Amino acid sequence: EAEVAQSPRYKITEKSQAVAFWCDPISGHATLYWYRQILGQGPELLVQFQDESVVDDSQLPKDRFSAERLKGVDSTLKIQPAELGDSAMYLCASSGDRPGEKLFFGSGTQLSVL
Amino acid sequence: QKEVEQNSGPLSVPEGAIASLNCTYSDRGSQSFFWYRQYSGKSPELIMFIYSNGDKEDGRFTAQLNKASQYVSLLIRDSQPSDSATYLCAVNENAGNMLTFGGGTRLMVKP
């Protein structure tokens, strides 16, 4: 069964350091999403890609976060510098590009900033 | 601001009972509705989706949608301890596939 691949599964870093997360969507899925989930809350969208183009990054803190999907396949989310409040689960998801398509999530990266 | 609201719980039900989870949404233009199950420390897993008013059944799960009332619910029949998890309601607007999630309801099924 096709899955969204994410790495690393866990990341511990110190504040002010840089961190990066990687995601490979389900083959053929044109749309890729990065969500952030703080403990006890629902996932919140950070950025949405359609192929290599950003569709929505209105909730991405652009002073420290960046995301790219250069060839329209896999994607990287970076935080520099990390802050204590960035501790959360970072979830990647993908879907087809027709309206109403289901989103499938990867296993997520649990980030702890010390 | 578009919102999806859920009671955070915990909702506690005995094994074998029906668990009823509710969700309201603010955007009348919403077209697609999803329920995800999330175990502690794991990522969300899609368990049900519904696009039209009425009921949709899949095994022990039934999703119910009432667009006029902007209300969607999930019923779990014959609840099992393995159903203990957080259930996330997610709503899709009619433009694009971005999902807006509620905060989740934590369900506890007691043996």
Side-chain angles (χ1 to χ4, degrees):
Chain A
E1 183 176 305
E3 293 185 343
V4 177
Q6 275 191 260
S7 66
R9 181 70 181 89
Y10 301 95
K11 180 69 177 179
I12 300 173
T13 191
E14 294 184 346
K15 63 179 182 180
S16 78
Q17 296 299 303
V19 293
F21 315 127
W22 176 81
C23 173
D24 192 12
I26 292 172
S27 178
H29 277 187
T31 310
L32 183 147
Y33 315 79
W34 284 101
Y35 280 85
R36 177 172 61 184
Q37 186 176 24
I38 295 170
L39 188 65
Q41 300 181 17
E44 294 181 306
L45 181 72
L46 291 175
V47 61
Q48 177 183 351
F49 288 94
Q50 177 72 27
D51 298 310
E52 67 277 8
S53 300
V54 173
V55 174
D56 185 346
D57 64 355
S58 57
Q59 300 304 309
L60 188 71
K62 298 181 185 65
D63 57 336
R64 296 185 301 108
F65 286 64
S66 64
E68 60 182 18
R69 193 183 184 198
L70 293 178
K71 296 183 179 180
V73 181
D74 60 337
S75 175
T76 302
L77 177 69
K78 297 179 181 178
I79 308 174
Q80 183 172 16
E83 296 181 353
L84 296 177
D86 296 332
S87 295
M89 172 84 85
Y90 289 82
L91 296 160
C92 180
S94 70
S95 73
D97 56 3
R98 291 177 298 177
E101 290 270 6
K102 299 182 282 291
L103 263 70
F104 296 96
F105 284 91
S107 57
T109 296
Q110 183 65 55
L111 173 67
S112 296
V113 182
L114 306 179
Chain B
Q1 182 177 350
K2 301 179 178 66
E3 294 183 346
V4 178
E5 300 286 344
Q6 295 181 257
N7 188 316
S8 62
L11 172 66
S12 182
V13 300
E15 184 174 356
I18 296 175
S20 178
L21 306 164
N22 304 315
C23 172
T24 59
Y25 59 95
S26 63
D27 184 8
R28 284 196 170 274
S30 300
Q31 296 292 314
S32 308
F33 307 85
F34 303 83
W35 284 99
Y36 286 80
R37 177 177 62 200
Q38 187 173 29
Y39 293 112
S40 180
K42 303 296 185 182
S43 63
E45 173 193 10
L46 180 66
I47 56 172
M48 286 290 287
F49 58 93
I50 187 166
Y51 302 134
S52 303
N53 276 329
D55 295 359
K56 179 181 179 182
E57 186 174 319
D58 183 2
R60 295 186 297 112
F61 299 102
T62 299
Q64 299 175 316
L65 175 61
N66 184 326
K67 289 186 177 180
S69 300
Q70 296 174 245
Y71 179 94
V72 58
S73 64
L74 179 70
L75 301 178
I76 306 175
R77 291 182 300 280
D78 188 23
S79 295
Q80 301 297 309
S82 59
D83 294 327
S84 298
T86 295
Y87 289 80
L88 298 164
C89 172
V91 175
N92 183 331
E93 306 158 29
N94 57 3
N97 291 325
M98 186 197 81
L99 293 185
T100 299
F101 284 83
T105 298
R106 188 159 72 96
L107 173 66
M108 297 173 58
V109 181
K110 296 187 174 182

